[in-house]
Structure formats: structure tokens, C-alpha cells
Amino acid sequence: MKKEDTHRFETKAIHSGYDPKEHLDSLTPPIYQTSTFTFPSIEQGSKRFAGSEDGYIYSRLTNPTVTVLEERMAQLEEGEAALAFASGMAAVSAVLMNVTKANDHILCSQGVYGCTFGLLQLLKEKYNIDYTLSQLATAEDITSNIRENTTCIYIETPINPTMKLIDLQLVANLAKEKGIKVVVDNTFSTPYLQKPLKLGCDLVVHSATKYIGGHGDVIGGIVVGDLKVISEIKKTTQKDIGGVISPFDAWLLIRGIKTLAVRMERHCETAEVVARQLKNHSKVKKVYYPGHQSQSDHDVMTKQMKKAGGLLSFELSGTYEETIKVVDKLKLIKIAVSLGDAETLIQHPASMTHAVVPEDIRKRMGISNQLLRLSIGLEAWEDIWGDLEQALNAI
Ligand SMILES: *Cc1c(COP(=O)(O)O)cnc(C)c1O
């Protein structure tokens, strides 16, 4: 990491990690679309390989456009260093392979991204790395699930799609006593709303595909942590498994990050209005929005999040058929998984993102057949609500 940037978040999102003087005075970071770099001599080439001289070698190892993205994300998450990957899952798998070895145990929040769950299964089958899913709601919940061989606690908060929150500081304090690494998937909150490293967690992962990119046009992943663990991941799982991001995709993410703060403000503001409107509608049974589940949820929210975010779920009081009808009546709001885009998106967890989860477990997780998840976009709130209202009134 270069020297710490003391500017505010909004300013860092635009300037951090980039100095035009180092790039022919180009205002915006150039796309270094090259696979490899030339060495002035064999001697200098060998010094770069030995690490005794700075300089680029090959774009799977480092690329100047990707470096700008990594330094900017490290500054925004207030971590020492970051790495960019070809997808959120490439980032998650690189991290899980770093913090575990064969026969270890992972304690995981109940309700993680479907492919992360798939990866846990794979690690179990191939390397006998066991996992436990837990609510992680209380200190008792956490400590009673920690085993002798637990090396990692893996958390998503807010939890998809019920938007329950986990107290990151509580988990981090209990894990630290036992030398367990805490990994947080911060995709839903972004560093604008929540900074897990400042709360004592060890590593942050992102699907940069979502709010970080923010425009639904790129797949990417990020890992942030301290310099020691980030260099370990760089030299092992990143270099040798090789799921690196392309310079162009890194450039799209750099471009997206510039507006992260203003986008998040608007996503949050509109989500709050839509949540309130949905709550007051007679066809809506329940609204799931971070900080609204219970008093303790609200306390966690005010402690660790700046605002509640741009995602919410709601349950209809009608039947499954009526739920489907509402979605089919929408005109402006598009049916799609993914989130964090300028466009408002809706999806049906029971038949889409959580279809692989058996129905009884789904029920326990609070995912009924009448539950819908919304990713609030950047359109005018009146138009988003207008579309929802006409669809709700049609049943
Ligand atoms: C989308 C997502 C991922 C996976 O990211 P990809 O970029 O699609 O690989 C991981 N975690 C969360 C919370 C996500 O929403």
C-alpha cells in the first residue's frame, strides 16, 4: 500500500491510488491492455523476479490498471492492501483456500450466497473441511459452535434475503481470543455503509459485480486485508489458480467506484421510502429491511452501518399464484437476480436464488413462496413505487 490517503470517502473514491504524473498526465487511469511487460535487460528482468526491483512482469501477477483498483479499494475499506479477481466467487474461493487447510472447520452465517454454499460443500467433499451454519446472533451462538479445528468464521450481513444483521464486533472479539480469522462478504453494504476491518474483522470480500461496479456491465471480485495475508494470497491462490481480473474490467470498476457514495445515498434514500410505502399497503404482510426486524437488529444496524442499504424483501399476504401475478404485472422493474445496479430489479428467492435449498430449510430461514426481493435502483422513487403499486392493486 502507498501512503495513507487522509481525504474523505467521497474524495478517495475518485482520486485514491492514482497519480496522473505517473501516467503521461492522463486525467483518468489508462487501460494497460497488455499480457506481458518488457525488461530492459536480463539483469533487470531477474531483479524483478527476485523482487529486489519494482516493475511489472506479467498481467496475471500485476497490471498497472488493476493496481489502481486494488489501492483504491484498500483505501475505501481502510485495509492495508487489496487484490482484484475475475469474479466475486474467485475472490471468495481464494480467501477460503487461504484461511483453511484439510480437516479444518468453518463457522458460517446461516444464509450465504448460493455459490459460496456450493463452495463449502466442495471443500467438504474434497478436503474434509467441515462447516456449521449458525445464526451467530448471540455470544452463546458463536462460542458453542466453535470447534478445536475452527480456523474461519465466514459472515454475510445483511443476510440475503431476510436482511437480518450480525454484530461484527461481537464476532470479531470472540474470534480474536481463539486466533480464528473472520471473513466478511461486504457486497450488500459496500465500504460506504459498513467497514468490517475497522470493527476487528480480518478480511473483506466483495462481489464487485454489484454496487462497486454499479452499472450491471462487469463481473469482478475484491479481497481486502492486512499486507501479510494479502501478499500470501497474491503469491499462492491468486497467482497459481489465476482467477485475475482483466485490465478493462478493472477500469470499469474504477469508473463505477467514483460515484459509489452518491449512488449509495440515493439507493438508501429510495429504499427507505419504498419500504415505508410497502409496509402501508394492504396486500403486503411483512417488509424485511435492515434494522427493522427487532430492537436488537436495530441496535446492530446503528452500531455498524451508516444507513440500511438499497435491498429489501417483502412478503405478500396472498397466495403463491398472486405473488407471481404481481411480478408479471411490473413494467419498469425488471425480473433479474444480481443487485446494486441503476435499474430496479426484483426476484423470487424460493424459485430462483434459493431454489436449491430444501423447502423446510427455506421456511426456517424465513423464505416463503410469497417472498420477493427488490434491489432498489436509481430511478425516481415515485416511478418505482408507482410500478409496484399498480402491480399490487391488480391482484
Ligand atoms: C453475487 C454475489 C457473490 C458472487 O459474486 P460474482 O461476482 O457473481 O462471482 C458473492 N456474494 C454475494 C453476497 C453476492 O451477492
Side-chain angles (χ1 to χ4, degrees):
M1 188 180 77
K2 293 197 179 156
K3 60 183 178 306
E4 198 192 339
D5 186 338
T6 54
H7 289 112
R8 285 168 180 77
F9 188 96
E10 292 80 350
T11 312
K12 290 200 277 192
I14 296 166
H15 294 283
S16 206
Y18 181 68
D19 183 354
K21 288 203 284 295
E22 294 169 8
H23 301 272
L24 301 174
D25 300 315
S26 170
L27 173 67
T28 62
I31 304 170
Y32 285 87
Q33 192 69 34
T34 185
S35 55
T36 198
F37 296 83
T38 60
F39 309 134
S41 66
I42 290 284
E43 191 196 345
Q44 275 181 294
S46 56
K47 280 185 178 160
R48 284 189 203 175
F49 268 91
S52 60
E53 184 184 287
D54 280 345
Y56 291 92
I57 298 174
Y58 185 67
S59 283
R60 179 159 40 76
L61 312 180
T62 31
N63 172 283
T65 312
V66 176
T67 303
V68 174
L69 169 65
E70 292 173 338
E71 288 185 2
R72 194 163 291 179
M73 278 306 296
Q75 294 285 355
L76 294 180
E77 284 286 3
E78 300 187 35
E80 286 180 0
L83 290 174
F85 289 83
S87 68
M89 286 319 300
V92 172
S93 53
V95 164
L96 284 184
M97 290 189 77
N98 175 268
V99 296
T100 56
K101 59 179 186 332
N103 306 316
D104 281 348
H105 171 251
I106 300 170
L107 175 55
C108 184
S109 58
Q110 185 154 42
V112 280
Y113 187 70
C115 299
T116 302
F117 185 70
L119 181 64
L120 290 175
Q121 286 284 119
L122 186 73
L123 291 173
K124 184 172 172 148
E125 281 160 26
K126 285 187 111 45
Y127 308 113
N128 194 35
I129 297 169
D130 204 0
Y131 64 84
T132 308
L133 302 177
S134 161
Q135 306 262 354
L136 306 175
T138 60
E140 162 67 16
D141 246 7
I142 300 159
T143 45
S144 66
N145 283 300
I146 290 176
R147 299 184 193 165
E148 196 87 316
N149 58 341
T150 306
T151 55
C152 166
I153 303 182
Y154 188 95
I155 300 171
E156 277 180 33
T157 176
I159 295 173
N160 183 32
T162 52
M163 306 299 154
K164 282 204 194 95
L165 303 180
I166 291 169
D167 185 337
L168 292 176
Q169 203 160 29
L170 175 70
V171 178
N173 288 343
L174 294 169
K176 197 150 284 164
E177 285 169 19
K178 298 181 191 288
I180 298 167
K181 287 244 163 32
V182 179
V183 180
V184 179
D185 182 334
N186 207 25
T187 302
F188 279 22
S189 301
T190 83
Y192 184 69
L193 300 179
Q194 174 172 283
K195 294 189 182 68
L197 301 177
K198 286 192 78 178
L199 299 167
C201 302
D202 298 284
L203 284 155
V204 163
V205 293
H206 277 281
S207 169
T209 312
K210 316 292 168 52
Y211 288 111
I212 301 294
H215 294 74
D217 50 13
V218 59
I219 300 272
I222 303 283
V223 178
V224 194
D226 69 37
L227 197 53
K228 184 172 163 287
V229 64
I230 291 294
S231 5
E232 256 173 48
I233 296 172
K234 186 171 177 59
K235 285 186 209 141
T236 56
T237 42
Q238 192 187 46
K239 174 172 80 67
D240 298 337
I241 294 178
V244 293
I245 196 164
S246 76
F248 180 63
D249 287 347
W251 182 84
L252 282 172
L253 293 177
I254 292 165
R255 182 182 153 108
I257 290 170
K258 289 185 190 186
T259 56
L260 181 62
V262 280
R263 283 188 286 110
M264 291 315 290
E265 278 294 330
R266 175 63 89 84
H267 284 303
C268 293
E269 201 182 297
T270 308
E272 262 181 54
V273 176
V274 173
R276 210 178 320 123
Q277 298 283 8
L278 282 168
K279 241 180 217 168
N280 292 333
H281 198 283
S282 61
K283 307 267 173 63
V284 177
K285 190 166 146 198
K286 191 165 179 197
V287 175
Y288 298 84
Y289 190 53
H292 287 212
Q293 321 281 5
S294 62
Q295 185 58 42
S296 69
D297 205 61
H298 185 76
D299 294 345
V300 174
M301 143 88 197
T302 46
K303 202 166 91 173
Q304 69 189 28
M305 292 177 80
K306 191 182 167 106
K307 290 190 173 173
L311 288 160
L312 61 96
S313 298
F314 61 103
E315 194 172 43
L316 295 187
S317 44
T319 61
Y320 168 72
E321 287 70 26
E322 284 173 324
T323 307
I324 300 307
K325 193 168 166 202
V326 167
V327 177
D328 287 339
K329 289 273 174 201
L330 293 168
K331 298 183 182 116
L332 179 71
I333 298 171
K334 304 291 180 258
I335 309 169
V337 292
S338 200
L339 55 107
D341 297 333
E343 295 83 359
T344 297
L345 304 177
I346 196 162
Q347 66 114 347
H348 181 241
S351 71
M352 294 176 184
T353 49
H354 293 70
V356 292
V357 183
E359 190 166 356
D360 56 324
I361 301 181
R362 259 198 332 253
K363 285 243 165 73
R364 224 182 308 143
M365 288 164 78
I367 305 169
S368 74
N369 287 335
Q370 285 89 298
L371 188 76
L372 295 168
R373 191 198 70 190
L374 269 176
S375 168
I376 297 292
L378 300 174
E379 304 95 337
W381 78 263
E382 293 90 341
D383 294 327
I384 298 172
W385 173 243
D387 198 28
L388 283 165
E389 194 177 32
Q390 63 81 22
L392 287 167
N393 290 343
I395 57 164

